[in-house]
Amino acid sequence: MKNLFRSVALVAVVFLGVQHVNAQQKIGHVNADEIFQLTPEFKTANDQLRTLNETKTKELQGMYEEFQKKQSDANEKYRSRSEANKETIDAELQVLGQELQNIEQRIQEVQRVAQEDLQKKQQELLTPIQTKVLNAINSVAKEKGYAYVLDTSAGNVIYFQGGEDISMDVRSKLGISADAQPVTPAVPAAGQPQQ
């Protein structure tokens, strides 16, 4: 009986101790995407990505223009086709048709390579910034004694009330002014060139 009493008392002490520890855990939240977009490094990377995207878009536009010109030439030749020049025009149309197919294949290849280049450049430029922001969040959380920090920008937090918003502390740690506004990304997340 005495052992049973000790066991119940031990369970009660452990249970109350766990409840006490849980009650003291601090929870904070932060909008990591916003802070990420406020960093000076992001603005620089964004400018580089915008320039690369514009360069790739211009290259593709030149190819589209070449394709449209050849297509227009083919249509003009087809309209001028008669019984007298049928064989000559048909041969020219066949050559133009092959050129159009070649240009179309080149356009598709350039689009694919452009997307890959943009994605690689995004990864190269943005990964170090993400690491820097995450390290700053972790540092603030440790300094302020938070057990959990939720990222409200991730979309996984459906509801939160309470806790502390540590965004300004993280901004301060990264040297971002309180009135700074996020920059709109130059390239969509998927890394596809803007049309």
Side-chain angles (χ1 to χ4, degrees), residues 158-191:
I158 297 173
Y159 175 81
F160 69 94
Q161 182 176 7
E164 289 184 44
D165 185 354
I166 64 169
S167 297
M168 293 312 273
D169 295 324
V170 175
R171 282 182 177 197
S172 176
K173 183 161 280 299
L174 291 169
I176 300 170
S177 69
D179 59 344
Q181 295 297 315
V183 175
T184 303
V187 180

Side-chain angles (χ1 to χ4, degrees), residues 109-136:
E109 179 64 15
V110 168
Q111 282 176 326
R112 185 188 64 73
V113 170
Q115 287 175 349
E116 287 176 2
D117 289 350
L118 283 167
Q119 288 173 345
K120 285 177 188 173
K121 193 66 169 177
Q122 262 185 321
Q123 182 95 19
E124 173 189 319
L125 295 173
L126 301 182
T127 299
I129 303 167
Q130 290 170 332
T131 301
K132 180 180 177 179
V133 170
L134 183 60
N135 288 341

Side-chain angles (χ1 to χ4, degrees), residues 6 13 38 51 78 108 124-125 154 157 159 163 177-179 195:
R6 282 186 187 166
V13 167
L38 288 170
T51 301
Y78 186 76
Q108 290 173 354
E124 173 189 319
L125 295 173
V157 180
Y159 175 81
S177 69
D179 59 344
Q195 299 291 338

